[in-house]
Amino acid sequence: MRKILPFASILFTLFINFAFAQPSPESQLGFAIGADRKLADWNEIIRYFNTLDKNSERVQMVELGKSTEGRPLVFAVITSPKNFARLDDLLNIQRKLADPRQVHADSLASYLRRGRTVVMINCSIHSTEIAASQMAMELAYKLTSGNDALTQEILDNVVLLLSPSSNPDGIQLVVDWYKKYLGTPHEGSSPPWLYHPYAGHDNNRDWFMLNLVETKLITAVLYQKWFPQILYDVHQMGDKGPRFFFPPFYEVSNPNIDPILLRSIMQIGGHVTTDLAAQGFTGIATEWTFDTWWHGGMRSAPYFHNSVGLLSEAASVKLATPVEIKFDEITGAGRGLSNARDFQTNFPEPWKGGWWHLRNIVDLELTASYSLLTLAARYRDQWLHNFYRLGQRAVEKGKKDLPRAYIIPSSQHDAAAAQKLLDLMLLQGTEILRAKKDFIADGANYPAGTFVIDLAQPYRNNVVALFEKQKYPEKRRYPGGPLEQPYDVTGWTLPLQMGVEYFSSVQEIKDLVADTINAFKPPATRQFIATSVPREKSDQFIISPNSLDAYKLVNRLLKKNQSVVWNRDKSPEKNLLLVQTDFDALTKAAQNLSVNIATATAVNNNGNAMKLKRPRIGIYRSYVATADEGWTRFVLDEFEFEYKTLEDGDLRRGEFITQFDAIIFPDQRDSTILLGRRSRDDDEDRKYPAEFTGGIGNLGFNHVHRFVEQGGTLLAFDSATRLFIRHWALPVVNELDGVKATEFSAPGSLFRGIVDTNHPIAFGMPRETTLFFSNSGAFSVREGRTIVKYPLQNPLLSGWLQGEAKLQGKSALAEIPFGRGRVILFGFRPQHRGQTYATFKLVFNSLWYAAAETINPGKAVTAEE
Ligand SMILES: [Zn+2]
């Protein structure tokens, strides 16, 4: 839709809802959507949607911003011209219904009558699950060209937000790769790189942390502007199981999801799967594998914003190349379905096998979308009223249930982490109060400036689900049998992961004089915890290392060749960074940071002072791409560390040895690092071009060995530790290596860790921290030094743990001297998904440590060293 309509055209749109046929996708692309071996790339998709925008009064394209690599991130708004003519009114109604506190009882009926159901359909967030990005063009074409009664009903009652992909960079990458190898033996393989530049598949694990630019932009418009009542996220899965999954979901469910939503999921699921059956689709599974426990997916965030979230998973083809699946090759086990060849209640009509084409997926997704839109249109008043009631119930629950509020002190060990937590809560629509005066809660005094999240607010359930300690319900396959593995992690309590202090208040906090900070009335500055800079001018300063922003600041100063001395003390409070720099340069570098700076006084060197140098960092990247590698880059970029990527070939050539101080091996299986794609001897892995196969090999591994022997620092995260412990015979045993799942299991939980604050790697850390553990490691160290260990009591803080005795008192992080260098073994995920702020410093310090130079003891330390 053109942005400014001529007057005559406005009259036209007000009275007539008849559409002229639009150019079909086929007429523009030169092939039919879903044709074998044909894919439109991101430019072609955008061009087609722009054509509709120009020609149809039923479409308006919205650009939300730019993707990580700078491509337009868009969605199409699709509704009737009548609805477009009063879009502001519709948005206003949405905002009112989203916050029942703003709705006067007399106006509710009018809002429900005048409002429209807002539905978001999101396609191909996972870029190799590419059918939906193509399907989106056909769906938009049908909705803009159809004059049938059903299409009219949908357009009149629904405002559809259609996102052809929430990861444009990945669509481009995947289509380019597919076209490059079309007609070769490698046709249909997935690219050997992450399809989101940082997160790969984990781009759908970011919906509460909001690290990625795409997640931030979409979250802000969904939960502050459009407030969809229904969100449908369209995915694909493996090719050998059921043809299509649609909810209801499998057990287990998050207790913070309102029953209205769980029932609404069943309502839509019943409707859609009945339509699919009636239209002759087979192999449709419900109540299988996918659950509603975990919080961070695109379709799970809606549950905590009073919306219905849905997911479909279609059986894949090889990108656009068809596959043949014979009936006896069908497997498809998984929670709730033992095989996909036999009839059962949640799988009433098995698929008979045969050829499976891209078009089969498009047909399933189109039918499901139309069916869902029909239900959204037909029960418009129900969706709107329930949306309003959900907000109302959340507010009521916040008044009655415990806790009543969360309190976040403004004075924190790590101010940068607290700033980030407040910021991301605000972005997802949370209302935060800031006390103007001192107040008392649960008998404790809190000073002015303290942050309070009163839970009597519409998005209460989101706050509780992020702040409470998760207790994953025990669900076993049979009594005494192994735990059923959760779909994703079991514990994620945000303030714990981030090392932010907070309190739950069981009392209503009365007489709280406070400012409300919320996304609708954004504060002038989002910098809640500002940098404190000394008043008097000087050229020598002390920076407290407690705030993570100190690392950003020091990295900025090191880049400008300023002198920074790292001084450590037995009492951690005296740990500090001494800087010599120009006052104005320092204040400029500290802009937008949360860090504590003071003027320097003389400091005695007890032998623990080191001069910091810019570390030369290498990060290993396998052609079997892992999200952990991407997140490592993300976190280093966020905190302004520079690094280089080392691929298999770089390590095999080995010239790097003199060029790096530290090399990081992110979490990855040892055999995959060594052997690469040939590690699993099957067809899947053989079909890659030679340059993407082979791993680091013995040659690369020997080069890494020499690098450490000659003084380099090696960081190994989680499963990558195994490679070095085993093959280099390190004086370390991983006590969890080879332990059966029935004896020990902790699939994504938060543990307490005890920190040796005297070690340089623990610089700036508190004595206790939170570790993210995903069936990771626990070490017995014969020679070397433990920096973080698991406590002697049960370490579980949030999530699930069985078999805790196996790790009590064991080492979680150890420095092992090796030749003239060292290996630093992380038995947990220190930078997991960019969420674990509590342990980022352990990585950053390891990198600084790798390059720092010791200063002779006895000599008074000044910043001039
Ligand atoms: Zn997916």
Side-chain angles (χ1 to χ4, degrees), residues 117-131:
T117 317
V118 176
V119 177
M120 165 100 176
I121 298 182
N122 184 58
C123 301
S124 302
I125 185 172
H126 290 152
S127 314
T128 49
E129 302 166 16
I130 200 153

Side-chain angles (χ1 to χ4, degrees), residues 237 241-245 281-285 340 347-352:
M237 56 186 169
R243 296 300 90 192
F244 200 60
F245 164 82
F281 292 99
T282 60
I284 314 294
F347 189 66
E349 196 173 7
W351 181 61
K352 299 214 160 41

Side-chain angles (χ1 to χ4, degrees), residues 4-55:
I4 300 162
L5 297 169
F7 183 63
S9 161
I10 292 176
L11 284 183
F12 183 79
T13 59
L14 282 178
F15 301 112
I16 301 174
N17 192 20
F18 178 85
F20 298 105
Q22 299 300 319
S24 68
E26 186 169 2
S27 71
Q28 190 160 330
L29 298 169
F31 58 86
I33 296 290
D36 284 347
R37 299 184 169 81
K38 294 288 183 189
L39 290 173
D41 69 11
W42 189 246
N43 293 329
E44 291 170 309
I45 293 170
I46 293 289
R47 206 177 310 135
Y48 182 68
F49 273 95
N50 285 341
T51 301
L52 293 183
D53 178 294
K54 213 162 76 194
N55 292 305

Side-chain angles (χ1 to χ4, degrees), residues 125-126 129 195 201 204 234-237 311 313 487:
I125 185 172
H126 290 152
E129 302 166 16
Y195 51 64
H201 199 74
N204 198 26
V234 191
H235 288 251
Q236 287 168 227
M237 56 186 169
L311 164 87
E313 298 273 356
Y487 181 66

Side-chain angles (χ1 to χ4, degrees), residues 278-290:
Q279 294 191 35
F281 292 99
T282 60
I284 314 294
T286 56
E287 291 143 286
W288 172 62
T289 296
F290 308 96

Side-chain angles (χ1 to χ4, degrees), residues 25 74 151 171 254 275 333 413 439 457 463 507 541 564 612 679 711 754 774 830:
V74 298
T151 302
I171 298 291
N254 190 302
D275 276 353
H413 179 84
F439 67 95
Q457 58 176 298
V463 184
Q507 288 174 354
F541 306 92
V564 184
L612 279 181
S679 59
I754 310 295
S774 180

